Structure formats: C-alpha cells, structure tokens
C-alpha cells in the first residue's frame, strides 16, 4: 500500500579529509542503512564549521552527520539539525562495520528500523534532547521512495559508562530472536550546542576526557613509574657505597664474659702416685673347663 | 615575525601596568604571587536544554518514528540458573563484554515484543514474503563468505572434539592392554612356580595342571580377593620405604648429610665381627657344593 511521503527528512552524511578506511566504511554503511541519506564530497578542515550549514542547504537536507578525523587517530561525529540547531559533538570509538564476518545478520536495503532507547534517556534533559535528535535523524520516513515497507531490523541506543552504545539487530522471529547486522559504535558526548555547528553551549560533559589528554596521562604515568624505579635504584646504590661509621667500642665484647669464682692456684710439684690396678686374674676358658671337670670329679667320687 | 614580537611586548607591558596599578592600590602582598586558574565551570543549561527540546520537537505519529523506550527483557538464562547477577540498568558494567552485549540484545528483544502488536495494528508487515526479492544491505557474495566462515569454524570444532575422543580411547585401550598382559604374566609365574614345586618334590599333587580350568571357574567368583592377600612383598616394602613409592626417582642424591649421619643401620656385633650366621637352620635345603655335585653326577 503506497501513501504520500510527508515526513521530509533528509540527512547529509559526509566527512572531512584525513579519515581512515574504517571511518569511510562506517559512513558507507550508514548511508546503506538509511535510505533518506545523501552523500557529499570531503570537506577541507580549513573551512569553518558553519560552512556545513550552507552545504546542507544546497543539498536540501535538514539533518547532518559530519565525521571529522583528527591526527589520523581520533574520530569525532557531529549530529545536527540544520539550519537552526541544536547540534552535538561526539567522540566515536569501537567502530565495527557491516563487512565484519562476525556480524552475520542481514536486512533489506532501505527497510525501516525500529528504534529502541534506554529509559535513562528520559531521565536527564541533555539525554532527552539527544533522543529527539536521534529519532529524527535515524528513523526512515514512512513512504519514502527508496524505503521498503517491511520492518525487519532494530537500532538500539543504550547508555552505559557515560557513553551511548549503538547496535543494529536483524529480527528473525517475531518472538524476539535476533542476529546482529552491524555497524556498531560507541559515542562519547562532548558538547551540545544550541545552534547548528555553533551557537551557545547548552551542555558540556563533565566526564569527557579528550583523547590527547588521555594519551598524555598514560605517557606521564609510564614516565613517572620509570623515574621512580630509577630513584629507588640510585638510593640503594648510595646506601651501598656510602661510608659506614666506624664503631669505637665493640658492643658485643662483654657477651661471653661470665664472672666466676677465683679458684686457688694449686701447683703440684711432685708427680702423683701411680694407681694400683686391681686386675682379676681370670684363667683361659680351657683351663677353666678343666678345673671345673676336676672339681666335679673331686666331688663326684 | 617582527610584528609578533612587538605584540608580545605590548601584552607584557599591559600586564606589568596592571600589576603596578594593583600594587599602588595595595592589593599585592609581598612574596610570590602565583596565577591561579579559576576552577573550570562546566555548562549545564538545563533550562536552555528544555527550551531547545520544546522548540525542536516534532510531534509525529508513532508510525513515522517507530521508537520505543524500554528496559531489557527478563533474562531467561540467568533466571533458570538462579544467578544473582541481575543488574539494574544503572549497574551495567561496560567492561564485561558478554553481560553488556546481552543487555543490548535483551533491550532490543523487549522492544520487538512490545512493538509487534503495535505494528500489526498499523498493518505494517515485519515478515518478508518468500517471493519478494529486493536488494539486501549485504550482498549475496558477502553472505556466502560469512556462511563459509561459520562452516569452517564448526568443522574445526568437530575435528578437535574427534581428536580428543580418539586420544581418550587410545589411553583407555592402552590401559586395558597393560592389564591383560600383566594378568597373563602373573598366571605364567604361578604356573611355573607350581611346576617347580612339583619337580623339587615339595608337593606331589598334580592339581596345578587342572588348576587352570578350576581357576577359570573360580576366578570370576572370589579368587581375585585371595590373590593379593599379603600385599607387596617385604622387599618391595623396604624399597618403597627407602626410595619412595613408584620406584627409584632419578637424580636423587645418595650420600646426603642425612644418609651419612644416619647410623640406624649399624650393628655393633656385626661390625666387630661377632655376629656370625643366624645359627643353624638357615637354609633347609642347602645345595651341595660343586665338587660334591660332580661326585654325585659321576656316581649316577
């Protein structure tokens, strides 16, 4: 059954220069998943960010997902409602793309997703704003010409460890058995702005640590450890080679002195007399036997 | 380059001027004056956020958005095992990979279970009919690759299982084989000793010849108990005590301090040569010497 496409949402997905293959594949995957998405060429980072609003207007898009890569290491994602705002900047981590062999699910290209949110999104005002942004950006409008009428996959947004975790599952059975399709990533919120790519800051994440700071801290910690070890070694060396103090008196000198009574010195001038040895003169066995027999003979007769 | 130097200079001068002013006003105290950063204040404009949300929100019917907010479905597995590991959403440990992914999975499941009746009501289908062919997000080629990988993983597991089983069987078979050989050796020994006894005239019964047949009948019944009545022999016991059970261990020192100082085996009489033989009756059947045997042979 066809109907009129009324919810005119269009998302512009593009990136800056200097992205790596993983980011590029992530962008392509998002474009595959969202039939209401449009692509654009890479933007030079020299230009200011509000230029993006103009690009969106040219392309007739009212939402934008802009991926910015810095130092060839860190990936930031801007999500924005063009031209009036609001917008948010995230640090993206743990990217896994559709092409990974461990993500075995599949879905129709352009099918509409179910969106699943953690109840935590309703508890804080900044999360509530983000939730609205996500809903408007990621849900495929009904009766979009490139969309399929079936609902066969679900996007989940969960908050854990002060980050937003994104997963995409394929619905196999109506009782709820799922397989992951991909892509998957983790968003670490940095700031929310009132305008699109600018404007007053509405929210700053207190738990956010920039990746540079993080790397610096690791390096400093490692350096501190090494320095500490060296210091300990030097101290031990110093102890060994330092001159030990000479003891004047031996503390243990009196340990074995046992006071005893003085015996009178007995000096013998003459040699003692030889001892008289009383030796029993025992006759040899034969003689003894003879004597015994003699004795017996004597008394027998 | 020159311009920058000037600019820095001017800033310095300005700073110094400020210090001079403060000093004149009596604000500066003698001693080190260190610049302290103001503690960083993070923006959390709750009112602004709410206002922005109110402006930005689009009141679309649910059919357009298809969004749901829910906690994960009950964990059937942990309930079955009665594990006390049912964390509330606030305690989800992001580092425990399995738990975390299960949490996400169950959240998605709960969404689906809740959404199915809603979708049916709006007559949105979730099942693709069999003859509906359309482009998929992942190409067929890719899905083939995935299938091959899964199959290869399964085969590897099966192979390792088979190898394990074979190893176990071989060990068991070897054990059985050893037992059978030992039993045969024991029987042979018994037979030989019986024969010798008869030869030497100690027993004149020839029952040992039939003994095998009788033994076979009795063996299953109870003679197994009588076989090892005395246990290991005295010689075996002595060796066990001296060298440890399981036989002499290699590399064990012989002349250790303990063994050298151990004088328990010293018999004074024997050492001084006074012990002598155990008296008469040491051996009953003393074998005659070589010359006597020769004479006997020549005589017979």
């Amino acid at each position: 059954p066809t109907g009129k496409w009324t919810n005119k949402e269009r998302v512009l997905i593009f990136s800056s220069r200097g992205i790596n293959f993983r980011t590029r594949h992530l962008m392509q995957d998002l474009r595959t998943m969202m039939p209401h998405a449009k692509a654009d060429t890479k933007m030079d980072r020299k230009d200011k960010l509000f230029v993006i609003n103009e690009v969106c207007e040219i392309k007739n898009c009212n939402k934008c997902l802009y991926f910015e890569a810095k130092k060839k290491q860190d990936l930031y994602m801007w999500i924005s409602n063009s031209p009036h705002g609001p917008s948010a900047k995230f640090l993206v981590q743990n990217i896994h793309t559709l092409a990974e062999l461990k993500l075995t699910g599949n879905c129709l290209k352009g099918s509409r997703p179910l969106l699943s949110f953690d109840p935590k999104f309703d508890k804080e005002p900044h999360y509530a704003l983000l939730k609205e942004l996500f809903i408007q950006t990621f849900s495929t409008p009904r009766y979009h010409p490139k969309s399929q009428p079936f609902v066969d996959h679900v996007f989940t947004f969960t908050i854990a460890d002060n980050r937003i975790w994104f997963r995409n599952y394929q619905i196999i059975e109506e009782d709820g058995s799922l397989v992951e399709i991909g892509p998957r990533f983790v968003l670490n919120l940095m700031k929310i702005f009132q305008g699109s790519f600018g404007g007053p800051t509405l929210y700053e994440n207190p738990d956010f640590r920039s990746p540079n700071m993080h790397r610096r801290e690791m390096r400093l910690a490692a350096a501190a450890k090494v320095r500490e070890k060296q210091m300990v070694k030097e101290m031990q060396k110093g102890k060994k080679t330092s001159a030990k103090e000479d003891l004047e008196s031996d503390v243990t000198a009196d340990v074995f002195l046992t006071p005893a009574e003085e015996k009178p010195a007995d000096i013998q001038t003459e040699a003692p007399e030889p001892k008289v040895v009383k030796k029993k003169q025992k006759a040899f066995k034969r003689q003894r036997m003879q004597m015994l027999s003699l004795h017996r003979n004597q008394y027998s007769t | 380059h020159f311009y920058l130097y000037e600019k820095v200079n001017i800033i310095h001068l300005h700073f110094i001027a400020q210090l001079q002013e403060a000093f004149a006003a009596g604000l500066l105290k003698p001693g080190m004056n260190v610049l302290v950063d103001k503690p960083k204040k993070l923006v959390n404009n709750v009112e602004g956020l709410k206002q922005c949300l109110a402006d930005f929100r689009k009141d679309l019917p649910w059919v357009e958005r298809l969004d749901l907010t829910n906690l994960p479905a009950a964990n059937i597995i942990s309930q079955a095992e009665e594990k006390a590991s049912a964390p509330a959403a606030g305690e989800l440990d992001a580092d425990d990979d399995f738990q975390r992914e299960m949490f996400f999975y169950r959240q998605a499941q709960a969404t689906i279970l809740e959404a199915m009746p809603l979708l049916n009501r709006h007559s949105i289908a979730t099942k693709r009919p069999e003859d509906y062919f359309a482009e998929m997000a992942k190409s067929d080629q890719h899905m083939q690759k995935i299938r091959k990988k899964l199959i290869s993983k399964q085969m590897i597991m099966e192979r390792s299982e088979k190898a394990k089983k074979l190893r176990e069987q071989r060990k068991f078979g070897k054990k059985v084989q050893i037992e059978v050989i030992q039993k045969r050796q024991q029987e042979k020994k018994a037979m030989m000793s019986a024969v010798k006894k008869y030869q030497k005239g100690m027993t004149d019964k020839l029952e040992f010849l039939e003994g095998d047949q009788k033994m076979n009948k009795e063996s299953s019944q109870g003679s197994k108990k009588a076989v090892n009545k005395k246990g290991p022999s005295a010689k075996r016991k002595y060796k066990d005590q001296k060298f440890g059970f399981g036989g002499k261990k290699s590399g064990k020192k012989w002349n250790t301090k303990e063994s050298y100082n151990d004088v328990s085996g010293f018999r004074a009489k024997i050492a001084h040569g006074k012990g002598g033989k155990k008296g008469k009756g040491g051996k009953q059947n003393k074998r005659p010497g070589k010359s006597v045997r020769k004479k006997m042979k020549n005589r017979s």
Side-chain angles (χ1 to χ4, degrees):
Chain A
T2 46
K4 274 225 77 186
W5 170 33
T6 46
N7 180 18
K8 305 279 171 126
E9 287 284 352
R10 292 184 194 86
V11 183
L12 181 65
I13 304 184
F14 73 120
S15 73
S16 72
R17 303 185 70 201
I19 54 173
N20 62 2
F21 68 97
R22 211 183 289 275
T23 316
R24 203 166 14 96
H25 278 272
L26 174 66
M27 268 198 328
Q28 283 174 355
D29 295 342
L30 284 173
R31 282 185 211 140
T32 313
M33 284 289 139
M34 297 156 65
H36 57 296
K38 284 195 190 168
D40 196 28
T41 54
K42 292 185 200 160
M43 191 186 85
D44 224 351
R45 261 191 283 120
K46 269 191 280 164
D47 306 329
K48 304 286 181 188
L49 283 172
F50 58 74
V51 170
I52 301 181
N53 290 321
E54 293 174 11
V55 177
C56 285
E57 208 187 306
I58 295 173
K59 286 269 176 167
N60 195 14
C61 292
N62 56 357
K63 295 284 185 300
C64 177
L65 278 177
Y66 172 60
F67 290 94
E68 194 181 351
K70 285 219 173 115
K71 276 192 166 189
K72 294 195 187 171
Q73 276 174 333
D74 314 317
L75 178 68
Y76 298 98
M77 183 179 99
W78 288 87
I79 179 168
S80 153
N81 174 37
S82 193
H84 305 295
S87 56
K89 185 176 181 187
F90 298 94
L91 174 70
V92 189
Q93 292 167 316
N94 291 11
I95 301 174
H96 295 263
T97 58
L98 274 183
E100 299 209 356
L101 289 177
K102 290 202 175 159
L103 302 170
T104 51
N106 201 356
C107 67
L108 280 172
K109 186 168 180 180
S111 60
R112 297 183 62 208
L114 273 174
L115 299 173
S116 165
F117 288 94
D118 199 352
K120 277 199 220 167
F121 274 100
D122 294 330
K123 298 212 176 121
E124 308 265 337
H126 57 272
Y127 282 138
L129 184 57
L130 284 179
K131 179 180 170 182
E132 188 61 32
L133 248 182
F134 288 147
I135 291 175
Q136 290 188 17
T137 311
F138 286 101
S139 58
T140 304
R142 205 177 183 199
Y143 308 126
H144 190 281
K146 285 200 202 153
S147 70
Q148 302 283 354
F150 307 103
V151 172
D152 62 356
H153 65 292
V154 53
F155 290 163
T156 58
F157 298 85
T158 321
I159 297 176
D161 191 23
N162 284 312
R163 292 171 169 83
I164 301 173
W165 301 70
F166 173 88
R167 296 283 182 275
N168 179 13
Y169 295 99
Q170 176 194 8
I171 304 169
I172 300 183
E173 287 294 324
E174 308 223 341
D175 64 355
S177 52
L178 308 165
V179 179
E180 196 167 346
I181 309 171
R184 48 149 91 168
F185 48 87
V186 179
L187 298 172
N188 202 349
L189 173 65
M190 289 171 68
K191 281 189 183 179
I192 302 183
F193 302 98
Q194 192 178 3
S196 168
F197 295 100
T201 311
L202 288 174
Y203 181 78
E204 260 181 76
N205 186 3
D207 302 315
F208 178 76
R209 253 161 62 247
S210 96
N212 257 341
M213 282 290 130
H214 182 74
R215 284 190 283 261
R216 184 163 180 267
E217 272 171 34
M218 307 282 278
R219 256 201 314 248
L220 285 177
K225 239 200 236 174
V226 171
R227 234 180 287 138
E228 212 186 289
K229 268 197 203 164
Q230 274 182 342
M231 257 173 42
V232 168
K233 261 197 210 168
E234 274 174 30
M235 261 172 54
Q236 283 183 341
K237 241 197 227 173
K239 261 195 212 169
K240 265 195 221 168
T241 54
S242 69
K244 301 194 179 79
E245 35 177 75
D246 293 323
L247 286 174
E248 308 262 312
S249 59
D250 185 11
V251 187
T252 57
D254 298 335
V255 171
F256 291 115
L257 280 181
T258 45
E261 279 178 21
E262 283 267 336
K263 274 197 209 158
D266 192 15
I267 304 167
Q268 292 183 331
T269 46
E270 291 173 10
E273 290 171 13
K275 256 199 214 161
V276 178
V277 175
K278 252 201 278 180
K279 198 172 176 184
K280 224 198 236 172
Q281 280 285 356
K282 211 168 151 191
F284 288 114
K285 188 164 180 177
R286 197 181 287 167
Q287 288 175 345
R288 269 188 277 149
M289 296 298 278
Q290 281 176 355
M291 279 171 60
L292 253 179
S293 57
L294 259 176
H295 200 84
R296 260 196 228 126
N297 286 340
Q298 265 186 347
Y299 283 106
S300 63
T301 51
Chain B
H1 178 73
F2 190 66
Y3 171 74
L4 186 65
Y5 177 74
E6 274 197 356
K7 204 171 179 180
V8 167
N9 231 357
I10 290 169
I11 291 172
H12 256 155
L13 285 174
H14 181 70
F15 185 59
I16 290 169
Q18 269 191 333
L19 278 179
Q20 281 176 338
E21 276 176 38
F23 182 68
L27 292 171
L28 284 182
K29 295 196 184 105
M32 276 285 280
N33 282 299
V34 186
L35 280 173
V36 179
D37 276 336
K38 242 201 297 187
K40 229 185 162 196
K41 220 176 169 204
L42 292 164
V43 180
N44 186 359
N45 189 352
V46 179
E47 279 310 311
L49 285 167
K50 289 191 178 154
Q51 181 65 40
C52 193
L53 179 59
D55 292 336
F56 170 59
R57 183 193 283 274
K58 261 205 261 184
D59 281 318
L60 294 168
W62 182 81
V63 205
E64 283 291 336
R65 299 191 328 259
L66 296 181
D67 73 309
L68 281 156
T69 308
N70 43 34
L71 279 170
N75 196 347
I76 310 167
I77 303 170
S78 76
Q79 270 178 4
E81 294 179 7
E82 290 181 20
K83 256 196 258 183
S85 71
E91 299 153 21
L92 175 62
D93 179 18
D95 291 325
D96 182 359
D97 291 341
F98 185 69
Q99 201 191 57
R100 187 189 70 214
E101 296 299 325
M102 282 313 290
F103 189 89
F104 300 155
Y105 187 92
R106 284 182 290 125
Q107 186 187 316
Q109 266 190 333
T111 303
I112 292 170
L113 293 172
E114 216 183 297
M116 279 302 150
L118 284 171
L119 287 172
N120 286 332
R121 226 180 294 155
H122 293 278
S123 55
I124 298 179
T126 52
K127 272 214 160 116
R128 180 165 64 105
E130 292 299 321
D131 54 354
Y132 189 96
F133 292 116
E135 199 182 345
M136 305 287 277
K138 297 189 188 172
S139 68
D140 283 340
Q141 208 185 27
H142 191 259
M143 297 311 284
Q144 288 272 9
K145 237 200 272 183
I146 291 175
R147 213 167 293 143
K148 260 193 227 167
K149 186 125 197 271
L150 279 175
I151 289 174
S152 78
K153 261 196 208 169
Q154 226 182 350
M155 293 232 316
I156 289 170
M157 254 181 58
E158 269 176 36
R159 233 178 273 158
S160 72
E161 286 288 329
K162 253 196 239 170
K164 257 191 227 166
K165 271 199 197 144
L166 256 176
R167 250 180 278 144
E168 289 301 318
Q169 264 185 6
R170 245 185 264 155
K171 274 193 193 159
F172 183 70
K174 193 73 183 177
K175 230 197 284 178
V176 167
Q177 191 187 34
I178 288 173
E179 271 177 28
V180 166
I181 289 175
Q182 278 188 343
K183 192 171 169 211
R184 269 193 228 146
Q185 281 179 343
Q186 273 180 358
E187 281 180 18
K188 184 176 175 190
K189 198 162 130 189
M191 183 65 135
M192 293 305 291
S193 62
V195 167
K196 256 197 186 167
K197 276 190 186 167
Y198 179 70
Q199 274 185 343
K200 300 229 170 138
M202 285 156 60
T203 54
D204 55 353
K205 299 173 199 160
L206 279 171
E207 274 177 2
F208 63 88
L209 283 175
E210 304 155 28
D212 278 336
Q213 292 166 13
K214 261 200 195 166
M215 285 287 284
N216 278 338
K217 280 183 204 163
E218 283 177 15
S219 66
S220 56
Q221 282 162 34
S223 63
K224 269 192 187 166
K225 289 181 200 167
V227 162
N228 238 354
K229 218 187 346 183
K230 289 177 186 168
S233 68
K235 181 179 177 188
R236 181 77 257 152
K237 275 191 200 150
Y238 168 72
K239 285 214 171 164
D240 278 345
Q241 194 204 14
K242 188 163 183 204
F243 299 118
F245 294 87
K248 208 161 157 189
K249 277 144 195 155
S250 64
K252 204 166 167 74
K253 290 186 226 182
W254 288 22
N255 274 338
T256 58
K257 191 178 181 183
E258 288 83 19
S259 77
Y260 189 77
N261 290 337
D262 179 25
V263 289
S264 59
F266 177 77
R267 303 272 173 261
K269 281 195 176 168
I270 296 175
H272 293 142
K274 287 183 187 159
K277 279 124 198 165
K278 282 184 189 174
K280 287 171 191 160
K283 255 193 233 178
Q284 268 173 343
N285 279 4
K286 200 169 175 195
R287 192 162 167 249
K290 186 164 180 176
S291 51
V292 177
R293 273 186 284 139
K294 232 182 181 170
K295 278 187 207 152
M296 280 170 66
K297 206 168 106 181
N298 288 339
R299 216 187 288 162
S300 63

